[in-house]
Amino acid sequence: MPSKKRTKITKSINIAVKEILQGNIIALPTETVYGLAADATNEEAVLKIYETKKRPFFDPLIVHIRSIKDIKKYAEEVPPEVYKLAEKFSPGPITYILKKKKIIPDIVTSGLNTVAIRIPAHPMFQKILAKCKVPIAAPSANMFGRLSPTCAEDVYKELKGKLNYILNGGHCELGIESTVISFVDDNIKILRPGYITKKEIQKTIKKKVILVRNKARHGKSKFTIYSPGMLKIHYSPATPLYITDNIYDFKDQSNVGLLDFSKYESLNEIAINLFSDLRKLDEEGYAYIVASKVKDSGIGVAINDRLEKAARGRVKMGKWEIKFSIKK
Ligand code: TXA
Ligand code: MG
């Protein structure tokens, strides 16, 4: 058992840089969610990410780089569409899957011959990349399968005792993870819906893009798993979450937490607060939480994807079905 660390929350970029260059892991802010970062070229440091999160080794990590100008250092073939997208959305919440170069160790990519590359927009992360001069591997800073943290305090709740520092960059601006898009075979595919929508992508590259999330099912491997991390179960609170048509059916039940989006004015606002609201409800000790899906367009696709996975298949249940399944 590794010894327990005294985890400190800091705003010091220099500390973050030092930790990374010493081969340690550190949690840091991105514009989407907080990441658990390490030098991507240091295999031992990357190993610490998997161990700390209890993440299975088959689930590869995103490599964060400073600028699109550096992409060819890490990726073998970079099609023109990537540059078009980068011009518009990078730095920002979009991750490109490309053929990898040897400089990226196999442990980062789970032995795949592809690598996920993202250029993060958060100014603190940008400063760290500029000072470290190494690519930085970082998954979301939560225990595997759990809710992604969107502020330093939520990272602390997930990972305290497991790392020296959490870099505090305030609440994440977007709240939902990057769109993961693959360029490694004939069709361009969105492997994970995210902040940048399919429509925006198609408009930019003037090509058809396939959203594969509904086809890839883990377990019943009738369909291809395009992205090893694209599991059906993910982003979960400890309290069971149920998707239902009308959360207000439960408003008189004191043991049910309502994930209520009616206080928000836009899908963007819902995205920003989704994980932190779920976490708050999770901490309140309800028997279960209920939520309803949002309009399935634009960023609503990514919100619904996270909700479905958080609900672990308990989707579209009526009031009595939920009560019945809780009593069992
Ligand atoms: O916004 C984000 O993307 C955040 C911040 C921290 O950058 N990161 C994030 O990382 O969400 P993570 O590890 O929680 O999710 C990365 C996803 C996983 O589903 C993983 O399987 C997929 O990207 N992925 C990574 N490398 C891949 C590859 N070579 N091929 C296919 N999928 C890949
Ligand atoms: Mg994650």
Side-chain angles (χ1 to χ4, degrees):
M1 269 292 279
S3 64
K4 256 194 146 198
K5 296 186 165 68
R6 222 189 105 238
T7 304
K8 292 166 277 296
I9 298 183
T10 178
K11 288 194 174 167
S12 164
I13 303 282
N14 288 341
I15 288 179
V17 170
K18 212 167 140 198
E19 286 289 299
I20 288 171
L21 294 180
Q22 280 177 352
N24 290 327
I25 49 169
I26 179 159
L28 48 66
T30 86
E31 70 281 22
T32 57
V33 299
Y34 272 71
L36 184 61
D39 174 356
T41 62
N42 180 336
E43 293 181 34
E44 273 171 40
V46 173
L47 182 65
K48 289 180 192 165
I49 295 180
Y50 285 93
E51 284 172 352
T52 303
K53 275 190 66 131
K54 295 206 164 38
R55 182 178 178 118
F57 288 109
F58 63 74
D59 192 356
L61 309 177
I62 295 177
V63 173
H64 299 75
I65 64 171
R66 190 180 168 198
S67 158
I68 187 69
K69 288 186 201 132
D70 298 334
I71 199 162
K72 284 203 167 149
K73 288 189 201 160
Y74 311 107
E76 204 62 78
E77 291 154 33
V78 185
E81 288 83 8
V82 170
Y83 290 103
K84 277 190 200 153
L85 289 169
E87 208 178 299
K88 201 152 176 205
F89 303 117
S90 297
I94 186 162
T95 297
Y96 311 102
I97 308 283
L98 296 160
K99 293 247 159 63
K100 93 172 180 78
K101 278 198 170 157
K102 276 211 180 83
I103 182 172
I104 301 295
D106 285 342
I107 185 169
V108 174
T109 62
S110 304
L112 297 175
N113 62 358
T114 57
V115 59
I117 295 184
R118 171 160 121 75
I119 299 136
H122 196 289
M124 283 175 134
F125 202 166
Q126 273 290 331
K127 278 186 196 147
I128 291 169
L129 284 164
K131 288 197 174 191
C132 285
K133 297 189 173 64
V134 294
I136 292 180
S140 49
N142 49 277
M143 294 303 286
F144 180 71
R146 294 291 173 196
L147 297 169
S148 305
T150 50
C151 62
E153 293 73 22
D154 288 353
V155 179
Y156 188 79
K157 286 173 195 158
E158 285 284 320
L159 299 178
K160 69 166 178 285
K162 297 191 162 116
L163 70 181
N164 296 329
Y165 290 100
I166 296 165
L167 186 67
N168 188 356
H171 198 286
C172 299
E173 199 187 326
L174 307 179
I176 217 157
E177 297 86 348
S178 63
T179 306
V180 177
I181 179 162
S182 169
F183 295 88
V184 292
D185 47 35
D186 294 343
N187 296 310
I188 300 172
K189 298 187 185 75
I190 294 177
L191 305 185
R192 177 176 71 181
Y195 201 83
I196 307 294
T197 64
K198 179 176 156 179
K199 214 167 146 189
E200 288 175 297
I201 290 172
Q202 292 190 146
K203 213 177 129 200
T204 307
I205 62 175
K206 300 191 175 60
K207 269 199 180 163
K208 212 173 153 35
V209 168
I210 304 165
L211 176 63
V212 294
R213 71 167 172 141
N214 287 331
K215 288 191 180 155
R217 290 277 144 91
H218 185 64
K220 300 175 202 162
S221 48
K222 204 166 109 196
F223 300 106
T224 319
I225 306 281
Y226 292 102
S227 180
M230 204 160 52
L231 308 176
K232 243 169 77 176
I233 296 167
H234 212 340
Y235 313 107
S236 293
T239 316
L241 170 74
Y242 291 81
I243 308 289
T244 183
D245 281 336
N246 184 7
I247 59 165
Y248 301 112
D249 280 345
F250 299 89
K251 72 176 183 330
D252 299 324
Q253 254 181 274
S254 59
N255 63 342
V256 183
L258 272 52
L259 184 64
D260 192 352
F261 298 137
S262 67
K263 56 180 180 278
Y264 300 124
E265 278 173 11
S266 62
L267 288 177
N268 282 0
E269 233 187 289
I270 294 174
I272 292 170
N273 294 291
L274 178 68
F275 287 128
S276 46
D277 281 2
L278 260 175
R279 190 178 291 274
K280 264 179 234 149
L281 289 170
D282 201 15
E283 286 163 3
E284 281 165 20
Y286 294 110
Y288 54 101
I289 300 169
V290 289
S292 293
K293 287 208 225 170
V294 298
K295 202 170 132 227
D296 207 41
S297 67
I299 192 191
V301 175
I303 294 171
N304 288 339
D305 170 74
R306 306 308 189 266
L307 280 175
E308 271 175 33
K309 287 178 180 150
R312 301 173 167 236
R314 296 178 288 247
V315 173
K316 267 255 183 184
M317 295 181 92
K319 182 169 173 165
W320 300 112
E321 270 174 289
I322 293 177
K323 286 191 171 167
F324 180 72
S325 59
I326 277 294
K327 281 197 187 112
K328 271 195 294 186

